[in-house]
Amino acid sequence: MIEYIPGLAGVPATESSVSSIDGKNGILAYRGYSIEDLVKHASFEEVSMLLRDGELPDKNKLDNFKHVLHKRYEVKRNIRSMMWSLPTNGHPMDVLQTAIAAMATFYPGADAQNPDSIYTQSALTKIISNMSTLVAMWARISAGYDPIPPSRGMSYAKNFLYMSFGEEPDDDIVKLFDACLILHAEHTINASTFSAMVTASTLANPFASISAAVGTLAGSLHGGANEDVLKMLDEIGDAKNARGYIKNRLENKQVIWGMGHREYSIKDPRASILQAMIEAYIKKSNMRLSKRFETALEVERICEELLSSKGVYPNVDFYSGILYAEIFKIPQTHFTPIFAMARSAGWTAHWHEQVGHNRIFRPTQIYTGADFRDYPKK
C-alpha cells in the first residue's frame, strides 16, 4: 500500500542548498545566513546574488550586478503595449503572470539545458529586474495614469517606490521596503516555488517557470493572506472587540488570518522583524497609525493566550499588510504582486538549482474510481 499524504505535507521533494527553516526555534536562513543578519546588513540586490550564487558577493561583483540589474529595469515596448490593452480592472497577479510569460518570446535562447550560459543568466537577471517595473507599471496603468520610467541610478527598492508614486522616498522608507523584499525573497519549498520547480523539471524556459510560480502565488491560500488580515482587523474595528471576535471564530472553526504556519511552531521570525521595524519607524517618525496596529497587537496577545499550546503564532502576513497599507500607502490589490517581485529572487535560484540536477517530477496517485468494466452492449 502506498500512503497518501494530502498536499504532500512534509514529503521531501528535492535536495536544496538555497534556504533552510528550523521551525521549532523560529530560524529562517538563506544559504546559512539568518534573515535577521541579512535585514540588518544586506540589500535586496546583495541577497539576490547570495541566493543565486551561494555566497555573498564582494564589492566589485555587487556593484557590477547592481549596474546590470538597474540597466534592465526598462520593459520592452511590446510588453508595455500589451499591458495597455488589458482591462484596467484585471487582477494585478493575472497581468503579472501574462507579462512574465510573454517575455519568453523576446528571449528564445534562455535554455534550461544551458543554465549557466551568459544568455540564460542574463534572462534570470531580467526577470528579477523587470518584476519591479511591471508591478509599478500596472499600478499606474490600472489607475489611469502613464507609467513612470525607471531610474537606473536608484536601488531596487527605491526605484520601485519612485515608479509607483512619482516621488523619491526618504531613506528610512527605502530601508524599510528593502527589508520587506529581503524577508519575502525566499522560503524553501512552498507551493509557488514547487510550481516553478515542477515546470523547470520539464526543461521549460525560466519565464514559463516563473509565470507558473506567479499563478500559484495568486491563490488566496498562499499569497493573499495579508489582505485577509487587514479585512479581519477592519471587521474587528477596535482592540476591545478582539477577544469576542477571536473566540467566535474559534468556536465556529474559522481561520484567524495571519496566525499559524505549517513550518513554524513558534512565532514566524519574519513577523517578529516586521513588528519591530514598524514600532521603530513610528517611534522615529512620530507617525500615527490607524487602529489596525493596536488591534493586531491585541489579537496576537489573545491568540497567544488561547492558541500557543497548539503552536499557533503570527506569521509574516500578520504584520506585512499593515506595513504596506499604513506606512507605504500601497493599495491592497498590489500586495501580492510585491510579494512576487521579492520572491523572484528565490524562484530564479530554485529554477537554476532544479535544472542543474534535473529529473522530471512524476508523482503517482491512489486510484479511487470504478473497477475495470466492459462497455455496455447496445
Side-chain angles (χ1 to χ4, degrees), residues 228-241:
D228 293 320
V229 170
L230 290 187
K231 293 174 185 175
M232 178 184 73
L233 295 175
D234 289 341
E235 286 179 12
I236 295 173
D238 193 285
K240 67 177 184 294
N241 302 326

Side-chain angles (χ1 to χ4, degrees), residues 113-237:
Q113 294 180 328
N114 296 287
D116 294 318
S117 71
I118 294 175
Y119 192 91
T120 301
Q121 286 296 310
S122 177
L124 295 174
T125 302
K126 182 69 172 175
I127 289 172
I128 298 172
S129 183
N130 267 191
M131 275 279 196
S132 63
T133 308
L134 291 169
V135 174
M137 279 177 61
W138 187 247
R140 299 279 299 179
I141 291 172
S142 62
Y145 298 102
D146 288 326
I148 296 171
S151 171
R152 294 183 179 181
M154 295 182 183
S155 70
Y156 194 88
K158 186 174 184 178
N159 181 60
F160 173 77
L161 294 171
Y162 167 71
M163 289 189 295
S164 297
F165 301 107
E167 298 178 357
E168 289 194 29
D170 64 47
D171 291 342
D172 289 334
I173 287 290
V174 172
K175 178 61 179 174
L176 201 55
F177 190 72
D178 195 65
C180 290
L181 295 178
I182 292 171
L183 292 175
H184 284 96
E186 165 62 8
H187 204 246
T188 72
I189 312 304
N190 48 77
S192 57
T193 300
F194 186 53
S195 181
M197 290 166 54
V198 171
T199 307
S201 78
T202 70
L203 298 184
N205 66 68
F207 299 97
S209 299
I210 304 309
S211 175
V214 172
T216 305
L217 185 67
S220 60
L221 291 182
H222 191 7
N226 50 15
E227 294 182 53
D228 293 320
V229 170
L230 290 187
K231 293 174 185 175
M232 178 184 73
L233 295 175
D234 289 341
E235 286 179 12
I236 295 173

